[in-house]
Amino acid sequence: MVNKETLDKIYLIYRKSCDVVNFLKGGLQESAYHAALEWELNQNGLKVAVEQPFNMWYRGHQLSKGYKLDLVIDNSIIIELKAKEELTSEHRLQLFNYMRLTNMPFGVLVNFGFDGTISFERYMYIKESNSVVLIDWHGNPVY
């Protein structure tokens, strides 16, 4: 189960994502939506880390390859942004791997569509089974 504070933050991310796409419309590069959403979330009191780096480890050794997370809220919610025609399994897998590798419990995938629409998916990482599940607006897993 997801606590109310986390659900409220996820819903705020959704509302502010909608505000961004309503103002900017569709067809821009991801970086434009990234900057606007970062601004919106900061204006609403969330602690936002931008392009937070994390290192890759393999068998106890740090690798030279690392990644950057688009946005991270309070070290617990990864926001992966896209500006594509539609979301694909590749986009979802990218977020799932980030969640697994960082042990962050929540992730949202936001796509600012070319036509000015938004896709918003919420996920929870279950450490015990090393799995990621879609969650509804109440924080319940959707299987």
Side-chain angles (χ1 to χ4, degrees):
M1 191 70 177
V2 183
N3 67 45
K4 184 177 180 339
E5 181 181 356
T6 299
L7 288 173
D8 289 346
K9 289 176 186 175
I10 291 171
Y11 189 67
L12 179 62
I13 296 164
Y14 171 72
R15 286 194 352 254
K16 294 297 122 186
S17 298
C18 290
D19 288 351
V20 167
V21 80
N22 286 335
F23 188 84
L24 295 178
K25 308 299 181 207
L28 299 175
Q29 292 184 353
E30 180 183 314
S31 58
Y33 301 110
H34 186 287
L37 183 58
E38 174 193 348
W39 185 87
E40 286 284 355
L41 296 175
N42 276 315
Q43 291 298 304
N44 282 270
L46 293 182
K47 180 182 167 196
V48 182
V50 179
E51 294 186 1
Q52 180 174 316
F54 72 93
N55 298 316
M56 289 287 302
W57 292 83
Y58 180 75
R59 297 183 184 242
H61 298 281
Q62 185 176 343
L63 303 176
S64 59
K65 176 67 177 168
Y67 291 95
K68 290 183 181 177
L69 305 173
D70 286 343
L71 299 169
V72 178
I73 305 300
D74 296 331
N75 284 317
S76 65
I77 304 170
I78 298 172
I79 304 173
E80 180 61 29
L81 301 175
K82 299 294 177 195
K84 304 289 183 184
E85 187 172 342
E86 63 183 27
L87 290 173
T88 67
S89 57
E90 180 181 352
H91 301 136
R92 292 176 185 94
L93 187 58
Q94 179 184 8
L95 175 61
F96 298 170
N97 284 329
Y98 288 169
M99 293 171 72
R100 287 184 190 114
L101 291 169
T102 61
N103 286 315
M104 285 209 201
F106 302 101
V108 295
L109 184 56
V110 183
N111 184 51
F112 297 96
F114 293 159
D115 59 355
T117 59
I118 191 169
S119 300
F120 191 92
E121 298 177 0
R122 305 155 307 280
Y123 295 96
M124 179 172 60
Y125 173 59
I126 303 171
K127 189 173 184 176
E128 297 76 23
S129 60
N130 194 33
S131 61
V132 177
V133 296
L134 182 69
I135 57 173
D136 66 18
W137 284 109
H138 304 286
N140 301 310
V142 177
Y143 295 100

